[in-house]
Amino acid sequence: MTELTRVRPDAALDDVVEILERDGAVIVEDFADAATLQGLWADLEPALEACAYSGNWYDGLRTRRVSSLFARTARLTPVVTQRLYLGAARALMERPVPMWIGKSRIEVTPNIQISTTQVIQIHRGQGKQPLHRDDALHLRRHPGPTSRVQLMLGMSEFTAANGGTLIIPGSHHWDDERGPDPAEAIATEMPAGSGLIWVGGVYHGGGGNNTDVPRTGMTIALDLANLRQEENQYLAVPRERVLDYPEEVQRLLGYDRYPPGLGWVEMHDPGEILDGLDHLSVPNGAPQPA
Ligand SMILES: O=C(O)CCC(=O)C(=O)O
Ligand SMILES: [Fe+2]
């Protein structure tokens, strides 16, 4: 394979899921429209300009990273809910898990959550990031069930010369003994507005930039919701900002119950508490103040 597979935004979801299962990565052309891109630049560029290069070699000494994106811009709803991205993430991760409850054999279907958000801007002189699997954060074993589906939206053009994300297609099928070899990696080449989607078990990394134009990408990771979020969304996004999002995004940000039983507050759905229900008045057997 010398190039990543590309699909149009009207592609069938089943086809995209099949490509992700086979290759671990796919490019969706015209993922975001021009107005969304312009809005993201307007909202995020000041933070990028004010941001120093990362202080460690892994994040990139000539790379700028801005996080807390759902607090910094209100324009990510169409991005995170894009049909092929959210659809593929749900199809790959919301798969029933069998278990016994007493004598009943049941299946529990997990859900997913936003785990991390970042704008990553790679400047001239930045070398290649070491190839890695992002699901290593959760110490996942391979091959195994997908626990992360990640998006890199091109806010600028991505080329092999300016740091387009390096991907080793099919490497999510490898076991944990086989290490990544940069010679096997393909650079993501796409115009601004296209989106690269990849699964957490695929070896990848930021490319090196030998050009004078920075490479800018906006990444969101969706993870299996039973795992800890990489970026602490409860602290990263103030409650008032969370309340401005549609319910689907609030739930993806973590204000949800995760089957079979994680995430509750006073034994209630956290979405109810977020909406202003006074949780101290919820009858739970505790004495009420007079
Ligand atoms: O910037 C990129 O293209 C990828 C960065 C990445 O994979 C990471 O920081 O985990
Ligand atoms: Fe990564």
Side-chain angles (χ1 to χ4, degrees):
M1 203 171 170
T2 53
E3 253 193 57
L4 298 174
T5 305
R6 282 165 211 273
V7 298
R8 298 288 308 153
D10 62 356
L13 177 59
D14 285 352
D15 292 345
V16 171
V17 171
E18 201 179 304
I19 296 165
L20 283 168
E21 282 179 326
R22 186 190 66 206
D23 300 343
V26 65
I27 292 172
V28 179
E29 296 173 342
D30 295 324
F31 185 100
D33 61 25
T36 301
L37 265 191
Q38 263 172 23
L40 287 175
W41 272 111
D43 292 345
L44 301 173
E45 197 170 19
L48 266 174
E49 302 271 303
C51 167
Y53 289 128
S54 301
N56 68 75
W57 61 271
Y58 183 83
D59 285 342
L61 298 168
R62 298 286 294 170
T63 298
R64 292 180 177 161
R65 291 177 185 254
V66 170
S67 56
S68 304
L69 298 189
F70 280 85
R72 293 184 190 275
T73 176
R75 297 175 203 266
L76 288 174
T77 297
V79 177
V80 74
T81 61
Q82 200 270 358
R83 182 181 65 92
L84 295 174
Y85 176 47
L86 186 56
R90 290 201 190 282
L92 288 167
M93 292 190 280
E94 296 185 345
R95 295 189 169 177
V97 177
M99 64 181 71
W100 289 102
I101 303 282
K103 292 195 180 305
S104 305
R105 180 71 166 162
I106 63 160
E107 285 192 334
V108 173
T109 303
N111 53 15
I112 60 174
Q113 66 188 344
I114 293 163
S115 185
T116 194
T117 66
Q118 251 179 23
V119 176
I120 305 178
Q121 190 173 64
I122 298 180
H123 287 250
R124 184 182 185 86
Q126 173 63 55
K128 290 178 185 171
Q129 186 183 36
L131 297 170
H132 58 277
R133 289 169 155 160
D134 282 336
D135 65 6
L137 284 166
H138 294 115
L139 307 179
R140 304 290 283 186
R141 304 305 309 270
H142 306 89
T146 295
S147 61
R148 166 171 291 203
V149 178
Q150 192 149 343
L151 168 73
M152 179 69 80
L153 173 65
M155 288 179 62
S156 72
E157 188 185 19
F158 276 40
T159 67
N162 78 3
T165 309
L166 300 168
I167 297 275
I168 304 185
S171 54
H172 56 310
H173 298 302
W174 299 358
D175 67 20
D176 289 312
E177 300 311 311
R178 179 169 173 187
D181 177 349
E184 295 172 282
I186 298 177
T188 300
E189 301 200 88
M190 60 184 186
S194 286
L196 165 72
I197 301 174
W198 75 98
V199 302
V202 141
Y203 280 106
H204 70 281
N209 191 345
N210 313 311
T211 75
D212 288 328
V213 184
R215 187 229 71 176
T216 309
M218 195 283 308
T219 193
I220 297 177
L222 289 167
D223 277 358
L224 200 58
N226 302 69
L227 301 172
R228 181 151 196 205
Q229 288 165 321
E230 178 180 347
E231 179 185 31
N232 190 323
Q233 302 298 333
Y234 306 106
L235 293 176
V237 190
R239 191 165 175 268
E240 316 78 70
R241 298 305 300 266
V242 176
L243 285 167
D244 287 340
Y245 284 106
E247 185 184 335
E248 185 178 29
V249 175
Q250 293 176 353
R251 291 194 175 278
L252 286 170
L253 282 168
Y255 298 86
D256 202 356
R257 287 218 246 205
Y258 300 128
L262 298 180
W264 49 264
V265 182
E266 296 276 343
M267 287 155 283
H268 277 247
D269 184 322
E272 294 171 24
I273 309 294
L274 182 70
D275 274 354
L277 188 79
D278 176 0
H279 66 279
L280 292 178
S281 72
V282 173
N284 66 352
Q288 300 294 304

